[in-house]
Amino acid sequence: MKAATGLLGAPTAVAAPTDEIGGKARQLAQLARYGLPVPDFFVIPAAWSRARAAGLPPDLRSLLQSELAARGWLAQPLAVRSSAVGEDAGAASFAGIYRTNLNVSGLDGLCGAITEVWASLDTPTALAYRQKMGLTGEPAMAVVVMPLLPAVASGIAFTCDPVSGREDRMVVQANWGLGESLVGGEAAGDEYVFAEDTTDTWHLIEAKPGSKATMSVPEAGGGTRRQTTSAEQAKADVLDIVQAEELAALLRDAAVAFDFVAPFFDLEWVWDGRRFWLTQLRPVTRRPHHTYPALCGQPAIWTRGNTCEVMPEPLQAMDWNFSRRGCNDLLEQGWKLAGYSLLPGAQRAGLIDGRLYLEASILQWEAWDAIGLLPERFNALMGGHQPTIAHRPPTWRERLARLGHTLRYLRHAPAMGRRGDAEVEQALAIAREVGDQALPERNDEIQALLFRILKPAREYCGMFFLQGSGGGSLSLLLETLEKAFPGESAAIGSALLAGGEPSITAQQGYALLELARLAKSPPNPATPQQPAEFAAAFAAFLAQYGHRGHYETYLRSPRWHEQPELLLEQLPALAEVDAESLRARQQAAAAAAWSRIRRELPFWYRPLLRAQVRAANRDSNRREAARSAIIALLAAGRRLWLLIGERLVGEGALDHPEDIFHLMPSEVDRYARGRLPLAGLRARLADRIALFARWQATEPREWLTLAPSGQALGQAVLEQHRAPELAGGKAFHGVATGTGVARGRVRRLRHPVEGAMLLPGEILVAPSTDPGWTPLFLKAGGLVVETGGYLSHGAIVAREFALPAVVNLPGILDRLRDGDEIEVDGLKGEVRLV
């Protein structure tokens, strides 16, 4: 039992089981390991408390005598804190339940304080709390012993809004002296509220003076006493702006060090006149779910039915830092343009087992409440098999408001679209400019370069409008077609859009076909410069499209300009593709659709449909252009971060440059400024790499719901679903997104890097598709995808190429085999085994 009964210092405690040292000690040890400012301490393991009825054991007293002497703490005022097994946990905080003794001096004083802390296990309050939380078994108490800090000021902090649950707020309470007066509710103290800006920095947005009539101070003979605050202190702010924002940065750093996915903690801090210290960290228990009032009684629905197309694998910390804000930026712009009142601070993205999810309940409600788009229809556009929210029929006032939102959107969308076009060009220019620069030596110059990329990625509302709201005109087109051709709107819409003005992604495909033609052309003695012609054409292609790549939304993914061989190996097969036949197929699909419209619809329908088709084609193309610009910024950022990673490898902070993507940008910045020690950085990195490996080994859930009790993501899972089983038989039904019908042999590919296996005319069956798959669309006879919806990348490009396609068929990769003969009906959304 030596490990359970010997005293443990902070470096040893971090490896001890929680049931041996309790939650508080474990969190303090981890804070120290992560390089946060924590006073030195040692832990008395919980095993000693099980004999508390007999008093303090002599063996423990002897150990304490030796420990205090070795540390020079025999005359040092100490803080003696409870660390019960189960305390400071995510489900049960035990806040204020167990005892803490401050200003304890000498061996006798320490032994008495320890027995008092143990005795707090058996108080009526503690017994009632454990019963309420359903905790059974014999309780046990570890004890933390640390020096008492000379507190000029102290307080508590929440790295979210504990009342509303908002993630974009941080709340700090502060008072003079020790923190007892705040924790005990005897003083309200000053309150400081912080918000995150576009550069991921937390700034003070509100300071509320509070009652500071009393403060807690050490008593001369031991213990503490309440003291009336001086008139000067009672009027003064406990923290000035510089101190407050320094503390906010420290608190945020501690939170992301512990959990960059859900950094929501309750911390205690101390200011000693020179620096801030952290003395406690525990999760915010039962954090409220911040959502619209109409959704408060309903389960929260989280889905990856859309996001798994572009980010199917786990995200690293730096990916999440971009995505958690970027998803909101993409999804909010259209509603803002329509004049719809969005919920401030709503968070629409989350990580579950490392995968990117969207809260479908919020997205469905915004679409329904803003313009009356039915949740079922929204799901079809979004992709996935998640359930829908409950909603009541709208009143006439609500119908009028929705009409107003629609009209406002239509009035302002053209100007915002033009702004977005300009911002796309500006973003591409910035990406090219930064991409050509060497990494500066000075940290402030590096920060300036990173900010050049971050600014458009955070502030270009028009570009995000194009990317996130490009489905508006397409949705209007489908609604018009559905009224005229019930059940066939998707197929006819796809045909009408075939062969229109090509998007940047389609242009990229046509450019590859031209490269393949040049590579295949036999040498001509009369033109010996032909190899140089191909080299020049390939260099021009990389200059325009080299920032793209396989699953390019991940910062860790190499770009085509880094791995040109991924393109070169595709060229022989692409040389067999008949570009003229491709264009003829597009024109035939569009002509057939217009012919049917002329036959079956009144003449006055045609101008409306032509206008809607032009708008849908334009907006789809703009969406692809905006995505290309965003990816260009990410590619430029990737290059800079890798250069920084190389520098950190040279300093011994990283083992590989790519390891930097496991860190948050704020952590790299704090390390560069000397505020995060190397050992703390490496400890965080080691834990992130291990966490990422665990995420990679998990099978993702397609969607899940949380209980309607107002709890936040990660708590009270009601229901969860893997991808649904496909019905038996030889026909499978998904979402029709491409035109026509194709028959061919199956070729299953898990990743576009396997593209050389796809033969011209085969049916490509894939788990998901992002622009990295586009070269394969050119030689495929048809497309079947497990994920996606009508607005997904694969659907947009399949329509452009008039490629018969069906998406949103989870499990189809396991139901089909390579070489199976299948028919892909892009009109009915059906895949049939022949």
Side-chain angles (χ1 to χ4, degrees), residues 248-316:
L250 174 63
L251 296 168
R252 177 68 179 181
D253 187 51
V256 298
F258 260 78
D259 189 347
F260 72 86
V261 176
F264 313 123
F265 293 92
D266 167 2
L267 298 101
E268 295 184 10
W269 57 271
V270 171
W271 168 251
D272 68 1
R274 296 184 305 106
R275 64 181 301 190
F276 288 102
W277 297 89
L278 301 179
T279 57
Q280 179 174 290
L281 175 145
R282 60 183 171 221
V284 174
T285 55
R286 303 184 69 82
R287 180 173 67 90
H289 178 44
H290 186 56
T291 190
Y292 289 91
L295 299 176
C296 285
Q298 299 189 43
I301 305 165
W302 290 88
T303 178
R304 62 190 296 266
N306 176 274
T307 56
C308 63
E309 183 191 38
V310 294
M311 301 190 90
E313 296 301 319
L315 279 67
Q316 293 167 296

